[in-house]
Amino acid sequence: MPLEKKNRVVCTGCSLLCDDISIDMQFNTIQTVHNACLRGTKKFQFSASKDRLKTPGIKTNENEGRVDASHDDAMEAAVSLLKNASNVVITGISRLSNAAQELAVQLATKLHATLAIQDFDVFKQVVLTIDKHGLEFFTLGEALNNADLLLFWGSNVIDLSPKFLTKTVFSRGRYRQSGKEVKKLAVIDDYPTPTMERADIKIAVEESDHDAILTALIEALAANKILDPALLLQTDTGSSNLSSNSASLVKDLAEAMGNSEYCTVMLGEAILNPQFLENHPVFLERLFDFIKAMNEGKKKVALLPMFYTWNFAGLMQELGMASDNVDAIDLQELPSKLTSGTVILALGSDFVSKIPRARVDGLQVVCVDFKRTPTSDLATILFPVTITGIDSGGTATRLDGISLNLNPPVEKKEDALSDTEILRDIMNKMQE
Amino acid sequence: MINPTNNITLLFGVFKKHARVNQTGAINALDVYKELPKLNCKKCGMLCMPFAVELLKGDKKPEDCPPLLEPKFKANIEKLRQLVKPAKQATATGIMLNQDACDGCGVCVIACPINSRFSQECLSGKAPDQPFPDKDIYTLENGKCKILSIDECRRYVPPKTNCRICEIYCPRYAIEIKT
C-alpha cells in the first residue's frame, strides 16, 4: 500500500499549534512526521504506541485493582459517582478541544463543581491587569510581519516551544523581508538560557532585579525622550540599582526600543509564576503601565503572556464567556478542596503528580486520558480517549488567541471516543 | 605545453587549500594520498595528489582509480573508503549535522534562502507541504533536521559563496560548516 501524504496537519504538542505539519500515513498509522519539532513528533508517534490506554476500567474495591469494563458500564458507574459526590472537582480542561471545554464548563455549572486549573491565579492576575490598562495581545502573524524588536522577558522559549522563534524571529515577514537581519532579539532572564545564548541583547539578572531592570529601562527611555514619564500612572518607581554591566545592557535595550517600529514583549515562566508575583506584587502593574505609556507616546509595543499547555488560551476564552456561576481555582489549591466524598474528574490531567501523595490516597477519580499516568493508575473509573488533533478533530486556540481547525491525520476507530463525545455522554446520562 | 614549475605551484596551492589543521582529527589530503598507488598513471584523468584532493572534496570516488581496483591494493581501497566517508557526510558544501543536538525547531528550513526560493511557504515561517521540492536543502523528519539535496546550495553551486545562514541561525549549534 503506498504512503498517503497528509499536509497542513495541526500539532497539539504545545500552545503554538503549528499548522504546517506533514504526515506520511500507511494502514491508517503514522509512518513519518515531517516539519514538526521533537516535542510534537513524540506526541504524533505516541498515537501508535502499545502504551496507549485502550479499555475502560472500573475499580469496585479499594484494595483490588481496576478491571476492564464496557464503556456503558463504566459510564453508568461514573455518572453514579458524580451524582452522589458531596463535592466535584474538574481538572485538566486546558488539554481539551474547544468544544469539550465548553461541555466541561457546562458540566461544572450543572454539578456546582470547581474547576482546578494550573496557573489560573497567574493568568487571572495577568488578565485583570491587562484589562485595567487596556492593552492588547499581538498575533504571531503581526510579530512575523511587523516586529523588529522581540523581547523575551523571563522566557526560555527555545526549550518550551522550539518553533516559536522560527515563526517570529528567524522568518521573513511582509514588512521585514530580510528576516533576522532586520530583527533584534532581546532576552532578560534569571540565568543564561539557550534562548539568551542566541539573543542580540542578553540581560542576565538575579530574580530580585527585574523591578530594577524595569526602572532602569524607564529612566533610560525617559532620558532619550522616547517615553514621557508624565504618562505613567505608577509613581512608585523603586530603585534602579544595577551592576554597571547590566545598566549598560539596559541602555542598549532602551536604544533598541527607541529605534524600533514595533516591539513585542513576551512574558515567560520566570515572571508568570506564583512565587515571583508574590515576591514582586507591583511588577506586572508597573510593566503594563509602562507598555501603555509607550503606546500612548506613539511607540508600538505589544504584549503576549506565554502559556504552553496546548489549549490554555481556549480555556481562558471559554471562562471569559462563561457565567459567574463557574467556580475556578488554581491547581495548587486543590488539596484544600479535598474532603471525604470528593470526586475528581481528571480530563487529560495528571494532577496526582502535582499534589502531595498523602492527599491523594482514598480519592475517587474518574480519569479520561489516552496515556498511562499516576492519575490513570489511581483512577476509580478510567475512560481511554482519542488524542485530539491526531485521531480526532475539533478546534483549538493558539496562544495568541487565534482558533484553528484541527486536521487529524488518523481516522478515528469506530469504538474510540473523543473528549467531546465522552463529556456529552456524561451530560446526557446526568439528565436521564 | 604546461610549464612544470607552474604546475607544481598550482598543485601546491590546491594542496594547501585542502589540507586542514588536524585539531579535531579531521583527515587531510596527505592522509588520502598515502593510501593511493602513487603511480601517477593518469588513468583517472589526473595525477595522484590532485586525485587525493578530489576524493576529499567528494567529487571523486576511490573506485574512479583503476589501479586501486587490483587485488594488491585491496587493503588500500578499504582504508580509503573509511577515510573519505566523513568527507562524504560533510558533503561538498562542508555542512555537518549534529543530530543529537538538533531539536527540530526548523530555523534552518525557513531561514535557508534556497528553501525560500523553491518553497514559498518558507517566506512566512511555515515549513513546505509535501511533495517537497527536489531543490530544497533542509527538511525536518521525525523531529530532526535532514539534508534533502545540496544541488542548489550557494556553497556548492558556482560562484560558491561562503553562505553560512543555517550555521549562524541554528539555536542549538547543531549545524557546523567545515571549510
Side-chain angles (χ1 to χ4, degrees), chain A residues 67-82:
Chain A
V67 295
D68 290 348
S70 68
H71 172 78
D72 289 338
D73 287 345
M75 186 55 66
E76 203 174 306
V79 168
S80 168
L81 208 59
L82 290 168

Side-chain angles (χ1 to χ4, degrees), chain B residues 3 16-18 22 38 52 55 61 64 73 94 97-98 106 121 123 138 157 160:
Chain B
N3 184 324
K16 268 182 79 175
K17 184 181 165 193
H18 290 280
N22 205 339
K38 297 186 274 296
L55 269 182
K61 305 187 296 296
D64 291 332
F73 291 116
L97 294 181
N98 180 353
E121 304 97 315
L123 288 169
Y138 285 108
V157 171
K160 294 196 184 187

Side-chain angles (χ1 to χ4, degrees), chain A residues 5-8 19-20 22-24 31-39 41 45 144 158-159 162-163 165-167 170-173 178 180-181 194 197-198, chain B residues 102-107 109-113 116 121-132 139-144 165 167-173:
Chain A
K5 297 182 192 302
K6 296 201 174 175
N7 289 318
R8 308 287 172 98
D19 58 354
D20 54 357
S22 185
I23 308 280
D24 291 345
Q31 302 298 320
T32 311
V33 181
H34 298 278
N35 302 339
C37 69
L38 211 50
R39 188 176 167 152
T41 298
Q45 289 174 338
L144 163 73
I158 280 182
D159 279 344
K163 289 179 81 175
L165 292 187
T166 311
K167 291 187 179 296
F170 291 102
S171 48
R172 295 170 182 76
S178 298
K180 180 62 178 65
E181 288 170 33
E197 275 276 311
R198 281 305 186 180
Chain B
C102 177
D103 68 352
C105 70
V107 167
V109 173
I110 55 96
C112 174
S116 294
E121 304 97 315
C122 293
L123 288 169
S124 47
K126 289 195 190 291
D129 289 341
Q130 290 196 82
F132 302 125
T139 186
L140 288 180
E141 189 173 288
N142 291 330
K144 296 284 183 182
I165 286 178
E167 183 190 50
I168 292 168
Y169 286 169
C170 176
R172 299 292 191 180
Y173 303 103

